[in-house]
Amino acid sequence: MTEKTLQKTNKLIAVYGRVSTSNQESEGTIETQLSAVNEYANKHGYKIVQQYIDNGWSGDSIVRPALDQLRVDAKKKIWEAVLIYDPDRLARRYSYQELVMDELKEASVEIMFVTVSAPKNSEDKILYGVRGLFAEYERAKIAERFRLGKVRKAKEGHIIATEAPYGYDFIKKTSEEQGSYKVNKREVSIVKNIFSWVADEGMTLRKIVKRLQELNIQPRKSKRGVWSTSTLSTLLRNKTYIGEGHYGASYAVIPENPRKKDVYKKIKKTSRRSKPENEWIIIPTPKIIEEDLFKRAQERLSSNSQMSVRNTKNEYLLSHKIWCVCGCRRAGEGPQNGKYLYYRCTDRVKSFPLKSNCSAKGLNARIVDDVIWKKIVTLLSSPELLYKQAERWIDKASSNKATSTVDTTETHLEINNLKEQEARYNKAYGAGVIELDQLKESLFPIKNRIILLKKQIDTAKIEVQSAVGGKLPRKDEVKDFVDNTVSLLKDLNFKSKQEIVRRLVEKVAGNHEKLTITGYIPISNINVFTNNRHCWFAQCRQINTF
């Protein structure tokens, strides 16, 4: 065996695979990809040392857990090359393919495909780019044809859906007839009762949930077997029940303030935005509710919303910061128009209409707020307490032998690469190559990744500082800090107090017997009040139980 053949046989490679949907997963598409990849590797004498698989991830997004891990490992020189079945498994968009491939090449990692040869020179790269652009254009054209086809069918009066609203059955399309809705004889009476309960009896959504539970009437889909207020709200506002089905009433958008701040999202456009009603395509459907009953129900829903006790704003100092001993949050509640304010466990809301699993009683909000605020003022007004906490933290840091789990050098390099990618996209937008929407969609995952990496670097710094110990501030520095702080704490309004609490307090948990406060003073540099000496006591966490 020659030296060249031996080198070829011993080549270490990684494998990347991706499927977009659960259907592809169940049909064994990943197994098909891996089978072809393994056959290619065996044929060329490559040794597969790592597999990176993204199951159920769209190629339109570049933020995928396995792909991100591959990009990180590429810089660690664990393997020499990456083998992928086809370029569209790497990404659907040509610009994303180029971005990842350039990054791997900069890390001296070779990219190989089973179906096509990877570009080796400028001419190959141009041909590869043309192929990728045509493929992207073809996919966009197919998607547009599919959309126009659905619009045409909707305008012809055909139902564009795979599932019918509650009260109807969906009759699937046949060779002779299009899909349609048929009134469900069992559910239709329930729908009529729900509208009547709102319009005629003035019931709130929560009361309807409770009545449906008492009658043992369950929705079609529910893990708990109970109705939710959001499901009922959607049902009561659906004009399908008065014979006016619709298509194109809303469109998908990326949420501006998502509830979940996950870095990895299989679907980015998880929110929907309503279109003006004059843009809806009306589709005739079997009528269940008379228009007069529907109109009266809408008026009652509007009236209930305006008169809801939840719309009465009360002042809660620990809003979003206080928890119950059961692990659920506590939320503010003001009975008798805010005469009494309480922090009550939200388990009863989550469990409704079923019985709550938590038996903890509500906490008087005014008493708890006053106690917590006095505790904060006492801590910030006492040089002795602050210095004691600083000493405690320094002692703990000195005995902590942990080292950083993050390679900050590699992380900084990745941030620089991401910023270069960001600059390339901005240049492409400036040159008119991509539209503004494409720019925003492309920059969104890059900016999120940069934020995540910066947080990792900050965490690493704290770990290193904890391992080597910090510098204890002088007592006169602490005293100067306290003197200035005390003057700032006088005669504060509620909003100012709440802002301080939100910055200092991480969590308050407990019941009538005991409350535990966890928090820290988020000031990394005390030079505002001292002589520009870096002080680490500001990062100390303080836990108080009373």
Side-chain angles (χ1 to χ4, degrees), residues 296-498:
R296 287 188 289 114
Q298 305 313 303
E299 291 173 352
R300 175 56 68 174
L301 285 173
S302 177
S303 174
N304 287 349
S305 177
Q306 293 173 5
M307 299 178 64
S308 173
V309 176
R310 292 192 304 274
N311 290 332
T312 302
K313 303 298 181 183
N314 296 307
E315 295 181 340
Y316 297 97
L317 192 65
L318 300 177
S319 175
H320 304 294
K321 292 290 185 180
I322 187 165
W323 297 70
C324 182
V325 289
C326 71
C328 292
R329 285 185 184 274
R330 285 184 180 271
E333 182 178 294
Q336 297 187 26
N337 295 322
K339 183 178 180 181
Y340 303 103
L341 303 183
Y342 292 95
Y343 290 117
R344 299 193 187 279
C345 179
T346 55
D347 180 69
R348 62 195 182 90
V349 179
K350 296 177 181 178
S351 302
F352 183 84
L354 305 179
K355 186 178 179 181
S356 173
N357 297 316
C358 179
S359 59
K361 295 181 179 180
L363 301 176
N364 188 303
R366 289 192 173 94
I367 294 176
V368 172
D369 288 353
D370 184 60
V371 170
I372 297 297
W373 179 249
K374 286 181 178 178
K375 195 72 176 178
I376 291 172
V377 171
T378 300
L379 175 63
L380 296 180
S381 302
S382 172
E384 293 77 16
L385 284 176
L386 285 176
Y387 197 80
K388 181 180 179 180
Q389 292 303 317
E391 287 182 321
R392 179 188 61 81
W393 185 83
I394 291 295
D395 292 340
K396 182 179 179 181
S398 300
S399 61
N400 185 3
K401 301 302 181 182
T403 58
S404 173
T405 57
V406 179
D407 187 341
T408 55
T409 303
E410 291 292 334
T411 307
H412 276 298
L413 288 174
E414 186 174 354
I415 290 174
N416 291 336
N417 288 334
L418 289 170
K419 288 182 177 179
E420 289 176 5
Q421 295 168 21
E422 186 177 1
R424 286 200 291 268
Y425 277 119
N426 287 325
K427 287 181 180 178
Y429 172 68
V433 177
I434 59 176
E435 300 293 333
L436 180 60
D437 290 342
Q438 291 177 300
L439 176 68
K440 290 180 178 179
E441 191 172 349
S442 300
L443 292 184
F444 182 77
I446 295 176
K447 289 182 177 179
N448 277 352
R449 181 65 179 168
I450 290 174
I451 292 172
L452 177 64
L453 292 173
K454 286 182 177 179
K455 287 182 178 179
Q456 290 178 358
I457 291 173
D458 291 340
T459 302
K461 287 180 179 178
I462 294 174
E463 289 176 351
V464 172
Q465 291 159 2
S466 297
V468 301
K471 295 181 179 179
L472 190 65
R474 299 193 308 269
K475 291 186 177 181
D476 61 308
E477 290 178 328
V478 177
K479 187 176 184 305
D480 289 342
F481 175 79
V482 168
D483 290 342
N484 285 275
T485 302
V486 169
S487 63
L488 294 174
L489 293 175
K490 293 180 180 179
D491 301 324
L492 293 177
N493 58 28
F494 174 79
K495 288 186 177 181
S496 299
K497 289 182 180 179
Q498 191 178 58

Side-chain angles (χ1 to χ4, degrees), residues 209-252:
V209 169
K210 191 171 183 180
R211 178 171 291 187
L212 290 169
Q213 185 67 17
E214 292 171 349
L215 296 173
N216 197 27
I217 298 173
Q218 297 184 357
R220 288 179 181 172
K221 295 180 180 180
S222 173
K223 293 181 180 179
R224 300 186 299 138
V226 299
W227 291 77
S228 67
T229 54
S230 60
T231 301
L232 289 173
S233 178
T234 301
L235 183 151
L236 287 162
R237 289 176 169 83
N238 194 341
K239 289 190 174 183
T240 302
Y241 297 111
I242 58 174
E244 296 180 8
H246 52 263
Y247 174 77
S250 63
Y251 58 97

Side-chain angles (χ1 to χ4, degrees), residues 129-139:
V130 171
R131 176 183 179 274
L133 290 173
F134 269 106
E136 190 173 335
Y137 168 73
E138 187 63 27
R139 284 192 294 270

Side-chain angles (χ1 to χ4, degrees), residues 123-135:
E123 185 178 344
D124 288 349
K125 192 171 183 178
I126 292 172
L127 292 174
Y128 178 82
V130 171
R131 176 183 179 274
L133 290 173
F134 269 106

